[in-house]
Amino acid sequence: MLQRIESEYEQKIRHFFTKFVALGKQEGYIQRDLTEEMMMMYFTMYKNELGRHWEASNRERVTLSMKQWVDMFFFGLVGQKQKIEK
């Protein structure tokens, strides 16, 4: 599973994440002063820890809590979701 995640990351996700961050900065959702290197480090750190947790625990339970993992990734511990209005 981890090898598959690594392969997908290298092929698709890194490119997507880089574009996602650039758009987020442009639209003001992501701090403009954060470097791409810091953002990739944050993403890699989160991905590695999530993979480690996946391997060490009940995969069904981790899958069920994936929405919480994604929310925490994007909004942090003290972040607050904001309704996006266009």
Side-chain angles (χ1 to χ4, degrees):
M1 181 67 165
L2 287 176
Q3 289 174 341
R4 183 175 176 202
I5 291 171
E6 288 294 327
S7 176
E8 287 291 316
Y9 169 73
E10 290 301 323
Q11 293 176 9
K12 299 175 184 174
I13 296 173
R14 183 179 174 104
H15 178 70
F16 167 79
F17 187 72
T18 301
K19 287 182 132 185
F20 179 78
V21 168
L23 181 61
K25 284 181 175 185
Q26 179 182 343
E27 293 185 1
Y29 294 106
I30 296 176
Q31 296 177 34
R32 292 177 192 255
D33 61 340
L34 292 176
T35 65
E36 184 177 321
E37 179 183 12
M38 287 301 294
M39 295 299 294
M40 290 310 300
M41 184 182 294
Y42 175 73
F43 180 72
T44 301
M45 178 180 66
Y46 204 85
K47 174 188 66 80
N48 289 343
E49 190 57 29
L50 186 57
R52 198 168 72 84
H53 180 69
W54 173 274
E55 286 296 315
S57 65
N58 178 326
R59 291 178 180 159
E60 182 177 328
R61 185 182 50 136
V62 172
T63 300
L64 291 174
S65 67
M66 194 55 70
K67 181 181 180 334
Q68 290 177 322
W69 285 107
V70 170
D71 286 348
M72 195 179 322
F73 175 80
F74 286 110
F75 305 110
L77 294 175
V78 295
Q80 184 176 9
K81 294 186 220 181
Q82 298 177 2
K83 184 175 181 178
I84 299 174
E85 297 181 26
K86 292 281 177 175

